[in-house]
Amino acid sequence: MDLVIHQDKMNQIIDILKKNGLSITEGRVQILELFLQNEGALSHADIEKKTSAAFDRVTVYRTLQTFVEKGIVHQIPTTDNSILYGLCKDHCEAGHHHDEHVHFVCNNCNKTICLDDVTVPKVNLPKGFKPLQAAMVVKGFCDDCKFN
Amino acid sequence: MDLVIHQDKMNQIIDILKKNGLSITEGRVQILELFLQNEGALSHADIEKKTSAAFDRVTVYRTLQTFVEKGIVHQIPTTDNSILYGLCKDHCEAGHHHDEHVHFVCNNCNKTICLDDVTVPKVNLPKGFKPLQAAMVVKGFCDDCKFN
DNA sequence: TAAAACATGCAACATCATTGCAAATATATG
DNA sequence: CATATATTTGCAATGATGTTGCATGTTTTA
């Protein structure tokens, strides 16, 4: 393995992978690095582009799946037949995500941002419904694109 | 056209189509009927199954697209690479949906239900973010599956 | 009822996702 | 530090999903 990643960041990445019992491979390191340096969420296609297709599509799929299972990233629902993945900032554990923050999709720059400090509010469900998790996606114009 | 749909329902369906300036075709009638008799949301695949593939895949795609454009159904975000469509109960207009109700996905029966009476609460966004629409998906156990 | 407008089905194609398996890489062990 | 074991990767094949153009069929209009 031979990457141009700053030592600190590299240590952080290795730390995350080890903590989750994952072996350190070039693909996992590079993909995790993408998430760490990107404020927005990433799709499978984004990752392929940003890594210049250095890895097989299949590897990317499997890496994302592994990361979701381990609680390193979480999935963000979309209405366009894609899945977005966002870094779990807090304390997600394998199989148990605590990603109850609001996601923001900008209609202009099209970025999806995790608003880690905005938690999804509780809602009152009809009798008989038992909630376990909740996701919320807000669309509009982001901080950079507020020309409107 | 020759269907076994009760007269009242048929009138309702024709009414919806006419109100939206759509011609009355067998495909549109049957697909709209599915939505009216189903409490849950439907995916493209669901519709193909429930109509026993009576219509070409393309027709189903185009019908759903038309319904979304006219405000007859709305799209529901998912994390599984599919799009779900739910009937717009209220007063959606072409190009302008008012589907700000909560969607519920049951972890057991896997149905997605529009909770038309539960509106998506407003949240406070960080400075600079301008919200336009909001979607919310709650997962858990539904009224029928509350064995837990 | 005929003409015009519109919707459908087919075919071809493009994209996206999954699986099995052999080769390569990382980790554990002596 | 070298080797054995376990894990991960890439390739190939396949399947699922979504899109487009165009000829045909159906609905609506006049």
Side-chain angles (χ1 to χ4, degrees), chain A residues 15-60:
Chain A
D15 194 51
I16 293 173
L17 292 176
K18 279 197 175 155
K19 223 184 293 186
N20 287 286
L22 296 175
S23 40
I24 318 296
T25 70
E26 185 167 338
R28 286 173 183 166
V29 170
Q30 281 204 34
I31 292 173
L32 192 42
E33 217 243 326
L34 277 184
F35 280 107
L36 284 168
Q37 78 187 174
N38 246 277
E39 98 178 304
L42 299 170
S43 67
H44 176 272
D46 291 334
I47 291 170
E48 287 218 300
K49 263 176 235 145
K50 283 175 189 281
T51 55
S52 311
F55 309 101
D56 194 273
R57 302 171 50 70
V58 181
T59 301
V60 177

Side-chain angles (χ1 to χ4, degrees), chain A residues 85-123:
Chain A
Y85 301 87
L87 196 63
C88 294
K89 292 276 169 57
D90 303 333
H91 323 286
C92 294
E93 300 142 35
H96 193 202
H97 290 265
H98 302 275
D99 57 322
E100 305 240 328
H101 57 265
V102 172
H103 295 97
F104 190 90
V105 180
C106 180
N107 286 347
N108 182 242
C109 68
N110 225 30
K111 261 196 230 162
T112 295
I113 298 167
C114 294
L115 302 176
D116 294 284
D117 298 329
V118 185
T119 52
V120 176
K122 293 260 172 290
V123 290

Side-chain angles (χ1 to χ4, degrees), chain B residues 19 67 99 122 127 139 145:
Chain B
K19 222 183 297 184
F67 283 3
D99 55 321
K122 293 261 172 292
K127 208 165 151 47
K139 295 193 186 191
C145 302

